[in-house]
Structures are given as C-alpha cells and as structure tokens.
Amino acid sequence: MLLKKKRFVIPALLLILIALAYSMLKPFWLAQLTELEAERIRLITPNSVAPATLNRINSEQMMADLRWLADAERQGRAPGTPGGIAAREWIAEQFAAIGLEPAGTAGFLHPYSVTEHFSLGRWLRGKNATIPGVENAANVLGLLPGTTPDLKPLVITAHYDHLGMHGDSIFYGADDNASGVAAMLELARYLKAKPLQHPVLFIALDSEEKGLQGAVALFRTGLLQPEQLSFNINIDMLSRDTHQLLFAVGTYHHPWLLPLIDQLQPQSAVKLIPAHDRPWYLAGNTQDWTLSSDHGVFHQQGVPFIYFGVADHADYHTPNDTADKVDVEFYHQVVETVLSFLQILDQQLTAN
Ligand SMILES: [Zn+2]
C-alpha cells in the first residue's frame, strides 16, 4: 500500500509546481496581453476626424428628450416604479406620434415579470448569479416598414431603465441610457421620413440594469424569433466625450463589419474603435463587453450585432450621471455616426 501511494507523490508535486508557476506567471502574461491590446487600439485610433458637418439629427429635440427621461421626476426609471412606468408610457406616445406601428403584445408595450432565480450561465461567467425579480416591467416596441418587401428587420435597441433611487439619491442615468433612448427617437423620426430598405424594429428595453432581463424576455416569451431578425444595433451610453472615442463592439465576432467601419470613419466626426469584444487570451485585462448590455442576448440567440457606446467615465452608475454633463456636440455627432452606419449596413445587407 505504501509503495503504491509513493508512485503518486512525484506527479502530484509536479502538478502543484505547474499550478504555482501558472498562477505566478498569469498576471505578467495578462499584463503583456493588455499592453498588446492597448497598442493595437493606439495604432487603429485615427489622428483626426471629419469636420462636424452632418446635421440630419435634430440635436435640440434629442437633448429635450434626454432631459425629460433623466429628469428628477422620473426618479431614475427603475423597473415597475412610477418613474419607470411614466418613461415607458411616454416612449410609447413618442412612437405613436412618429408613426411607428405597435409591435408589442399590448399595443406598443410588452409587459413581463420575472421571479428571482439562479442563473448557471452568469455563475459560470463569475457574475452575480442571482437574477433579481422584477414586477410590472415592460419593453416598448415600434416597427417602421422598409421600402423593399420581405426583408427581415434590423433591430435597434436602447434600454430606458436605470438604477432608480438609493436612499435619498436619485441615479438619473442621463448617459446610461437616456442618451440611447433619445437617440433612438431621433433616428426613428429621421428614418420615418427617409426609410431604409429594411424594416426597422425600435425597442426601448426595460430592466437591462437587472441582468438584461428585458432583452431576455423578448425571446423567452416568444415575441421575437432570432431567425426572423437580420441584425441588432444596440446603443447604450452615447453622450459623454471620452477623448472623442466611440467603441464599436462586435467586429471580433463578425469581422465582415470591419470594412463597414472603414467606410464609416472618413465621414464621422468621432473616432471609431473596434474593441472590447475580444477574449482574455487576446486582450488580457481589457474588458470584454460582448455580454455587458442588451446586444449580448441577441448574440447568444445567434443574431449578429454591433454595440455603440463610449468608454466608462467617473460618473458611470453614480448619482452624478446627469443631463448637464452631456457633451451636446459630441453626442450629436455620435448619433449622426450611428445613422450613417445604419445606412451603410442597410446597403450591405441588401447587396448580399
Ligand atoms: Zn446601460
């Protein structure tokens, strides 16, 4: 017995040594990969951008909509709260006024509730595995027909919920994500007058901040089937000037998007950076945002996606994310860029 046990001593010691070496070397290895990714981003960052000449989006209207959503009266738009309910009813009114077709299960609205539960997928990704329950939540869906029959819709998503109140503090969520919803409304107004070939399904999502539950509910309840959709464009946090950068997330998963970004950059007044979508063994500690907002759910459903958003800033998820901090001109040019991308994508998908 003793002899038999001894046979395991050397391999076991070796394994421990390898594990020790790995755990000691990994931080250096990750730091190296992080530096390489930063270098890659530096090399693709344009030195200059196009002058801000595009003016199809009504910036004043967009700012008025952003301020309404991020107003103290909305109390941070937590799902199912009076402020959240007021926000979604107001968005539905805007959709109707623009002339979108109701595409929810109750007019423009798609109500849902979620009971608290454990998520194995989130646990495996090292995230908080308990999905909190939400009552009386609702997405808002409006459809704009395209000019070519029988094309599958492009889906534009922007979450309208935010963190609500914590004690006496209001988490206004001006950038996150009143900016995306106000942009979506302006895009809808523009495209209503100048439609794309594809139909466009506009979705203002609820409870993104509680684990992307609004996007999950679209598919869980059977309202949407992934094979009926052509593409998801998610906009979340567009309005804070972080060194003129706008991240375009998703090109690692869908490299065919890179030529579209190359086509877009010369006409854009912001610096487009395809990044934040690479796994750790390529990008080290650089954050991977593939699953960090609603586009993640579309990605898991097999729908190709792109996500546009600015870099995290000091006011992210704090009570200081207020409307007065918005960089109005940068925000305007970001949304012009998203509009140009939609037009390029519409062409590209029709040509295929
Ligand atoms: Zn957000």
Side-chain angles (χ1 to χ4, degrees):
M1 279 304 276
L2 247 167
L3 266 177
K4 260 189 184 172
K5 270 189 185 166
K6 267 188 183 165
R7 287 218 312 255
F8 293 103
V9 170
I10 290 171
L13 276 175
L14 264 175
L15 268 178
I16 290 168
L17 269 175
I18 290 169
L20 267 174
Y22 174 77
S23 63
M24 284 171 69
L25 286 174
K26 198 177 175 192
F28 296 107
W29 181 29
L30 284 177
Q32 195 73 26
L33 289 169
T34 310
E35 187 41 52
L36 280 172
E37 175 67 358
E39 181 61 18
R40 184 187 75 86
I41 290 175
R42 267 195 296 276
L43 288 172
I44 58 174
T45 303
N47 293 321
S48 62
V49 291
T53 51
L54 295 173
N55 198 16
R56 303 160 294 182
I57 293 294
N58 182 339
S59 177
E60 268 171 45
Q61 178 68 56
M62 189 161 71
M63 280 307 297
D65 291 347
L66 182 149
R67 284 194 202 96
W68 191 92
L69 286 160
D71 191 87
E73 241 180 273
R74 251 47 74 199
Q75 298 194 320
R77 310 182 303 280
T81 62
I85 292 169
R88 77 196 190 208
E89 283 171 357
W90 178 83
I91 294 165
E93 281 167 25
Q94 305 308 309
F95 278 6
I98 292 165
L100 303 185
E101 296 171 6
T105 49
F108 289 101
L109 297 184
H110 169 234
Y112 63 90
S113 289
V114 178
T115 46
E116 184 178 297
H117 63 282
F118 173 80
S119 161
L120 182 64
R122 283 178 67 82
W123 183 76
L124 287 172
R125 293 200 306 276
K127 298 206 167 179
N128 181 4
T130 306
I131 305 282
V134 288
E135 275 176 43
N136 195 12
N139 301 317
V140 194
L141 294 90
L143 182 71
L144 180 65
T147 56
T148 304
D150 301 329
L151 293 177
K152 296 175 184 178
L154 309 175
V155 185
I156 301 182
T157 49
H159 75 89
Y160 71 89
D161 70 302
H162 194 55
L163 301 170
M165 305 268 302
H166 289 249
D168 288 338
S169 303
I170 302 174
F171 285 65
Y172 298 89
D175 185 44
D176 187 10
N177 183 31
S179 71
V181 177
M184 181 162 76
L185 292 173
E186 256 316 292
L187 290 169
R189 291 183 189 110
Y190 180 85
L191 294 175
K192 171 72 182 172
K194 292 197 164 60
L196 300 174
Q197 298 177 74
H198 287 79
V200 182
L201 181 57
F202 294 91
I203 314 182
L205 287 160
D206 202 350
S207 50
E208 186 270 353
E209 303 284 10
K210 290 183 180 289
L212 320 181
Q213 292 185 17
V216 169
L218 293 173
F219 297 101
R220 176 172 53 79
T221 62
L223 178 60
L224 298 186
Q225 273 84 44
E227 62 278 5
Q228 292 172 346
L229 311 172
S230 64
F231 197 89
N232 172 229
I233 302 100
N234 187 37
I235 44 180
D236 186 359
M237 298 171 60
L238 301 179
S239 67
R240 297 291 291 266
D241 185 356
T242 48
H243 307 289
Q244 282 188 298
L245 299 184
L246 179 67
F247 288 103
V249 176
T251 61
Y252 172 74
H253 304 284
H254 304 290
W256 60 271
L257 292 170
L258 282 169
L260 308 196
I261 300 293
D262 288 344
Q263 201 181 328
L264 180 59
Q265 183 64 74
Q267 34 175 306
S268 174
V270 301
K271 297 175 179 175
L272 286 154
I273 311 292
H276 286 301
D277 48 12
R278 297 166 160 243
W280 67 269
Y281 51 82
L282 292 176
N285 294 314
T286 313
Q287 287 180 358
D288 181 357
W289 295 344
T290 301
L291 301 175
S292 70
S293 177
D294 295 308
H295 56 272
V297 175
F298 285 82
H299 178 56
Q300 287 174 323
Q301 292 285 337
V303 180
F305 76 97
I306 197 160
Y307 158 56
F308 290 109
V310 299
D312 283 349
H313 46 80
D315 297 330
Y316 169 74
H317 281 201
T318 77
N320 302 321
D321 179 7
T322 50
D324 58 304
K325 301 269 183 66
V326 165
D327 187 306
V328 177
E329 184 53 27
F330 173 76
Y331 176 37
H332 179 189
Q333 292 309 314
V334 163
V335 183
E336 294 287 350
T337 300
V338 174
L339 174 55
S340 299
F341 177 81
L342 286 168
Q343 293 171 330
I344 292 172
L345 179 73
D346 183 50
Q347 289 284 338
Q348 173 73 22
L349 292 177
T350 318
N352 281 347

